[in-house]
Amino acid sequence: MTQQHPYGALTPDTVINAVESLGLYSDFRQYPLNSYENRVYQVGIEDSTPLIVKFYRPGRWTPAQIQEEHDVLAMLDQQGIAVAAPMTFDGKTLFEYNNFHFSVTQKLTGMPLEAGDLDQLYAIGELVGHLHHQTQTWTTPKRPLIEPKVRTLTASKLVENCPFLPKTLVARYRQLAQQLIEKMTITEQRCPTNRPRFIHGDCHRSNLLNCEGTLTLLDFDDCRMGLAIQDLWLHVSEADTKQQQLSELIEGYENYHPFDTRELDLIDVFMAERHIAYTAWIAERWQDPAFPAIFPHFKGEDFWLQHLNDLDDILKQWGQWR
């Protein structure tokens, strides 16, 4: 909670100078885009289309880990999968300026996806299936699998020690976290699955763009080894129709790649992990000025009551994905 803000030196001049260090000429227009973990800007280029410039959060990934992501994107682009791949300058895609690592991509225009649209869910399934088929033999040695239970244990301790968690709720939080971790352990033991494989890692609706009918995958910042279901379940938006939505996703997916239905039982595991890890992420990043501005409610009791209710709902609905 006391970490120094990593973007304090990322001034508007630094953004422009970083872009121009690549031999580009900016028209000095820059517009910040929604990105909490990294900093992303649309930067105007003289007599040309604006470009998207991404500054990676210092200390999160090593240069080798970022380069592994770039290499994956280059291969996907070559294989005809619609992704936002970084541009190459003098044979490189990753650059450094004033101790910030950054990359540049072309600006994409398109429409966001609609939650729960069955036709779009089918198309999303096809895109993810195509991605998984083309990458079925790939590994990412620098971004290995992280067991969800391990991540949840670490995150739950961070949340438990968060000063904004009301002391009157600590015992209830600790009990819910322990119950969820026990459920995760039992479910993982009961559900053997295929080997880990390359995944996008954060494949939610906001990381997809409909570019004139072509669904394009954005932001591979969390790509790593994992399970196929991790790239599918986040697109289920309505609890009342979750089986129907999953059915559309899987039907589209299997046009390109077989799906191991045993992984459906692990959705609860990944859901519990994501809820706890998300809350821990906000706590861990609180010294970044962007976070108090975006999540002012994080300090209020209502946020924590809702978080505990969400965890309780996961427990009550565990095992109902088939």
Side-chain angles (χ1 to χ4, degrees), residues 123 125-134 136 251-258:
E126 286 192 312
L127 177 59
V128 175
H130 192 190
L131 169 72
H132 288 182
H133 180 74
Q134 295 297 104
Q136 59 186 308
E251 187 176 350
Y253 184 94
E254 290 192 318
N255 282 337
Y256 285 92
H257 197 71

Side-chain angles (χ1 to χ4, degrees), residues 53-279:
V53 187
K54 177 179 180 178
F55 291 86
Y56 296 88
R57 178 174 289 271
R60 180 168 187 246
W61 296 118
T62 66
Q65 288 171 320
I66 299 172
Q67 190 60 58
E68 188 168 53
E69 172 197 342
H70 289 191
D71 293 343
V72 162
L73 285 165
M75 290 187 288
L76 291 172
D77 188 50
Q78 291 170 3
Q79 294 180 10
I81 296 178
V83 295
M87 298 171 64
T88 300
F89 296 87
D90 295 328
K92 297 171 58 180
T93 58
L94 181 61
F95 311 97
E96 185 176 0
Y97 187 85
N98 278 12
N99 298 317
F100 288 105
H101 287 94
F102 71 99
S103 63
V104 180
T105 59
Q106 299 282 358
K107 178 184 177 182
L108 297 176
T109 57
M111 297 294 294
L113 275 61
E114 298 180 17
D117 183 288
L118 296 182
D119 290 335
Q120 285 191 346
L121 288 172
Y122 183 88
I124 292 168
E126 286 192 312
L127 177 59
V128 175
H130 192 190
L131 169 72
H132 288 182
H133 180 74
Q134 295 297 104
T135 61
Q136 59 186 308
T137 61
W138 295 8
T139 58
T140 52
K142 296 177 176 60
R143 295 185 178 210
L145 171 75
I146 297 179
E147 295 289 347
K149 187 171 66 174
V150 172
R151 190 180 181 204
T152 304
L153 277 167
T154 302
S156 65
K157 294 301 181 185
L158 198 155
V159 173
E160 189 176 322
N161 293 318
C162 177
F164 302 138
L165 173 62
K167 294 187 182 303
T168 55
L169 300 179
V170 170
R172 183 183 171 202
Y173 173 79
R174 185 184 298 119
Q175 181 184 37
L176 283 170
Q178 289 174 346
Q179 289 176 314
L180 285 167
I181 290 167
E182 290 170 3
K183 285 277 193 180
M184 295 169 82
T185 302
I186 294 169
T187 302
E188 288 174 344
Q189 291 172 346
R190 194 181 65 244
C191 302
T193 59
N194 292 333
R195 62 173 177 79
R197 48 146 316 104
F198 173 80
I199 60 171
H200 179 283
D202 193 28
C203 191
H204 54 77
R205 191 170 69 254
S206 295
N207 279 335
L208 282 162
L209 198 63
N210 186 347
C211 301
E212 297 183 351
T214 299
L215 294 190
T216 302
L217 275 167
L218 312 175
D219 192 5
F220 276 69
D221 201 56
D222 290 291
C223 69
R224 62 170 62 252
M225 302 303 291
L227 297 177
I229 192 62
Q230 289 176 263
D231 279 349
L232 293 172
W233 78 268
L234 285 172
H235 295 288
V236 177
S237 58
E238 299 294 336
D240 293 341
T241 58
K242 61 185 181 183
Q243 278 85 7
Q244 185 181 12
Q245 292 185 56
L246 269 175
S247 178
E248 292 295 325
L249 286 163
I250 293 170
E251 187 176 350
Y253 184 94
E254 290 192 318
N255 282 337
Y256 285 92
H257 197 71
F259 178 75
D260 184 351
T261 56
R262 293 176 298 178
E263 292 188 12
L264 293 175
D265 294 328
L266 294 170
I267 294 177
D268 292 311
V269 171
F270 293 118
M271 181 179 289
E273 174 200 24
R274 190 172 181 88
H275 272 73
I276 293 174
Y278 179 80
T279 304

Side-chain angles (χ1 to χ4, degrees), residues 19 24-27 29 42-52 87 104-109:
V19 171
L24 300 167
Y25 294 96
S26 170
D27 62 12
R29 292 177 299 168
Q42 177 180 297
V43 177
I45 304 298
E46 286 188 3
D47 302 320
S48 186
T49 304
L51 296 175
I52 306 303
M87 298 171 64
V104 180
T105 59
Q106 299 282 358
K107 178 184 177 182
L108 297 176
T109 57

